[in-house]
Amino acid sequence: MYKEPWLLWPLLSLPFLYLLGMGMTNSLGADPAKELVHSTGEFALWLLMLVMLARPLQQWFKRRELMSIRRALGVASFIYLVMHVCLYVAMYLGFSMAALLEDLIKRPYIIVGSLAFLLSLMMALTSNTYAVRTLGRKWQKLHRSIYAMVVLVCIH
């Protein structure tokens, strides 16, 4: 069985380290909260695009390794998505449920993003070998919802 290259996770952590460095040097611009929320969301989207590209590239180049790193790319995308959501909830909403409800009413794109997050959460929770074996064909159906999720993310 193919194992992930040892350099994969350090590479996937580079955007986080970049943002951390920008924050430590006070280089996030006039609105650091906006920069952090948007950047983590964009990193999650870029990694999601790499997940989507894995199969076509694997078929084109005939390299099975590309499919093997897809899970790591998906997990990393989910980690950046969780950072995106947590930063939004902390920095924009101040952990207030009332502010969240107000935002959901005022900004419909937050509802769309929330739906994408829920789909992503279901996929992340089932992105392990045990879930693949246990769910069988249902696992494949669930993970095909990535196409709907990508559309929702792009709308968001």
Side-chain angles (χ1 to χ4, degrees):
M1 179 176 200
Y2 179 78
K3 297 203 185 235
E4 296 167 7
W6 66 272
L7 195 55
L8 183 61
W9 283 103
L11 281 174
L12 293 173
S13 69
L14 287 178
F16 171 75
L17 295 173
Y18 170 75
L19 288 176
L20 189 61
M22 295 291 284
M24 292 174 71
T25 59
N26 224 8
S27 305
L28 288 170
D31 191 351
K34 181 180 178 182
E35 182 64 29
L36 288 172
V37 171
H38 284 260
S39 293
T40 52
E42 286 177 16
F43 293 144
L45 177 59
W46 280 109
L47 288 169
L48 185 60
M49 293 297 121
L50 289 175
V51 170
M52 299 292 291
L53 276 173
R55 182 169 301 281
L57 289 175
Q58 180 263 333
Q59 291 172 340
W60 194 26
F61 291 114
K62 308 281 190 246
R63 302 291 302 196
R64 293 191 65 195
E65 300 87 32
L66 292 171
M67 294 305 287
S68 299
I69 65 170
R70 188 170 63 170
R71 183 184 290 182
L73 292 172
V75 170
S77 176
F78 181 72
I79 290 169
Y80 282 104
L81 174 60
V82 168
M83 282 192 274
H84 173 72
V85 170
C86 289
L87 287 166
Y88 163 73
V89 168
M91 299 177 132
Y92 281 101
L93 304 179
F95 299 102
S96 167
M97 185 59 92
L100 174 62
L101 293 174
E102 184 181 320
D103 239 12
L104 288 170
I105 293 167
K106 205 166 38 170
R107 297 181 177 94
Y109 66 88
I110 301 294
I111 295 171
V112 174
S114 299
L115 292 173
F117 176 73
L118 291 174
L119 282 173
S120 182
L121 178 63
M122 289 189 301
M123 284 188 276
L125 292 174
T126 59
S127 284
N128 57 68
T129 306
Y130 176 77
V132 173
R133 286 190 197 131
T134 305
L135 294 173
R137 289 181 183 242
K138 291 177 186 174
W139 181 90
Q140 200 170 33
K141 277 186 175 181
L142 172 63
H143 281 257
R144 282 193 182 130
S145 66
I146 192 169
Y147 300 108
M149 187 183 79
V150 168
V151 170
L152 291 171
V153 168
C154 289
I155 292 170
H156 171 72

